[in-house]
Amino acid sequence: MHTPTSICLLRTSAIGDVTHVVPLVRTLQKAWPQTRLTWIVGKLEHTLVGDLPDVNFICFDKRATCHSTHAVWQNLHNQRFDALLQMQVAMRSNLLSLGIKANRRIGYDRARSRDLHGYFINERIEARSGEHVLDAIGSFVEPLGLKQTQVHWDIPLPDEAQDWAAAQWPERTPTLLVSPCSRHSLRNWRAERYAAVMDHATKRGWLTVLIGGPSPNDHATAGAIAAQCRNTPLNLTGKDTLKKLLALLARATLLLTPDSGPMHIANTVGTKVLGLHAATNPKRSGPYCDLRWCVNKYDQAARTYLGRSSQSIPWGRKIEFPGVMDLISVDHVIERFDAFADHVHLA
């Protein structure tokens, strides 16, 4: 098997999808430790994965697309790669790839392509349906002659982040972290329902903690939830960084969240996730390692909003309709929470 001298990875966002690239990096590093890896990644996402060892990172800021695109091209002006793994099909990324010189330009199969993706590549991964997003990304090593058979993350966690997380609540306290906001608003659940589940967890002796980003929407949502809780939760919304979030998730007992970046960050550190899935299919985009504690109303959503079963619609179809998350009741979530708490013999 020919060992490439250099490989460029192009996956700029989103945070959850970027975590899915890390096992691919580990696979390449294990097979070819001398191969130079360059990863073009989003500016925000870089703060989570940018300290992976032996990877040259180039940041792309989608808020300044034109300027950042030219900056990336200038950075790579004198480089040519044996292979480009073009793992993002959005037009912004397709255009960004034009400035990357590579002998092999590997992209998605036709079914998973869009935005003229096929014009920017010269090879495709094998067409498959029914894959989790992480496995689809992992399959980009296959045209190179490898196979991703193990999934490892080992994202570095600085001492500073761990110390900050350790100061937030006592050790060995059963803790439910609630990350209520997805960047896709139609995936979000109602504030009063989160509050009801958090009150139930408190009755069982759990600490409840709200987490989220610094945006006004995240703060407003956390405030609305806290206002309806009978017992005031610890509210850390807007107070962390992605590394501190990673540390919080590593200390938590369980995460409650819709399909979102924190779901996948939690998965990288082995923290179990009570995922709320109606708008999206957990088998495609849920927590990769363990779906047991998720609420899955995706098929009901397909029948309610599309008039078809989930098996009869395209794999990966999102059912992002107003009210779709109302298919998930408080009782559905409490049942999964209790099942988890009983499984691990917690209060």
Side-chain angles (χ1 to χ4, degrees):
M1 185 191 313
H2 170 67
T3 300
T5 301
S6 59
I7 298 173
C8 182
L9 315 177
L10 177 49
R11 181 80 207 198
T12 62
S13 61
I15 290 171
D17 291 320
V18 164
T19 69
H20 298 330
V21 178
V22 176
L24 175 141
V25 170
R26 298 303 191 190
T27 297
L28 291 171
Q29 290 177 327
K30 182 177 180 180
W32 297 321
Q34 302 306 314
T35 298
R36 298 193 307 273
L37 300 181
T38 296
W39 183 353
I40 303 172
V41 70
K43 183 178 179 180
L44 174 63
E45 291 77 7
H46 180 261
T47 64
L48 177 65
V49 300
D51 52 356
L52 288 175
D54 301 319
V55 179
N56 174 39
F57 286 92
I58 299 176
C59 286
F60 175 76
D61 185 357
K62 65 182 179 182
R63 294 174 298 179
T65 298
C66 291
H67 175 78
S68 192
T69 296
H70 286 289
V72 171
W73 290 354
Q74 186 63 35
N75 195 316
L76 297 175
H77 180 68
N78 294 320
Q79 296 188 54
R80 186 173 191 87
F81 298 95
D82 291 325
L84 164 67
L85 307 187
Q86 169 49 316
M87 297 178 283
Q88 197 151 1
V89 298
M91 181 56 75
R92 180 191 291 119
S93 296
N94 288 331
L95 292 174
L96 178 60
S97 74
L98 287 174
I100 304 170
K101 303 179 185 71
N103 299 327
R104 304 176 67 183
R105 307 176 66 87
I106 302 169
Y108 281 96
D109 56 280
R110 287 181 173 81
R112 288 179 282 192
S113 295
R114 66 174 188 272
D115 289 353
L116 305 177
H117 182 66
Y119 289 98
F120 300 87
I121 60 176
N122 57 25
E123 295 182 54
R124 296 180 182 271
I125 60 172
E126 184 176 337
R128 295 180 183 134
S129 184
E131 283 188 320
H132 192 281
V133 174
L134 186 148
D135 290 323
I137 289 175
S139 72
F140 271 80
V141 303
E142 294 176 14
L144 302 175
L146 300 178
K147 183 79 174 178
Q148 184 165 289
T149 57
Q150 295 180 314
V151 174
H152 296 294
W153 285 273
D154 298 322
I155 299 173
L157 188 50
D159 290 342
E160 178 188 4
Q162 295 186 68
D163 292 344
W164 179 85
Q168 302 309 311
W169 65 78
E171 193 174 2
R172 291 188 290 276
T173 303
T175 304
L176 175 66
L177 255 61
V178 178
S179 179
C181 293
S182 167
R183 65 187 180 92
H184 301 274
S185 60
L186 294 176
R187 299 180 189 179
N188 292 340
W189 208 35
R190 293 182 181 272
E192 63 270 20
R193 299 190 182 188
Y194 279 118
V197 174
M198 293 169 75
D199 283 338
H200 176 80
T202 301
K203 288 180 181 178
R204 291 202 58 165
W206 284 53
L207 174 69
T208 58
V209 182
L210 283 163
I211 57 174
S215 73
N217 180 64
D218 282 32
H219 279 291
T221 300
I225 294 170
Q228 296 182 70
C229 287
R230 295 176 183 173
N231 299 279
T232 303
L234 175 61
N235 188 355
L236 299 179
T237 303
K239 297 181 180 179
D240 59 12
T241 62
L242 285 179
K243 286 296 191 184
K244 289 179 178 178
L245 172 61
L246 182 66
L248 287 176
L249 290 166
R251 295 191 75 239
T253 311
L254 182 68
L255 173 69
L256 170 61
T257 186
D259 189 348
S260 63
M263 169 182 287
H264 305 294
I265 298 174
N267 185 72
T268 71
V269 291
T271 298
K272 302 305 182 184
V273 180
L274 201 172
L276 306 179
H277 288 272
T280 60
N281 185 351
K283 294 179 181 179
R284 178 185 178 273
S285 60
Y288 181 79
C289 294
D290 195 346
L291 295 174
R292 288 177 295 168
W293 317 113
C294 293
V295 177
N296 181 4
K297 296 299 175 182
Y298 182 70
D299 183 67
Q300 185 178 347
R303 295 176 187 276
T304 301
Y305 289 92
L306 303 178
R308 303 162 63 187
S309 71
S310 58
Q311 289 76 24
S312 64
I313 62 177
W315 183 255
R317 170 73 184 272
K318 298 176 179 64
I319 311 174
E320 293 176 334
F321 289 85
V324 65
M325 294 298 287
D326 289 340
L327 295 173
I328 299 174
S329 71
V330 170
D331 287 344
H332 292 142
V333 180
I334 286 177
E335 186 277 328
R336 286 291 79 203
F337 173 83
D338 285 344
F340 173 82
D342 294 342
H343 176 77
V344 295
H345 306 295
L346 296 173

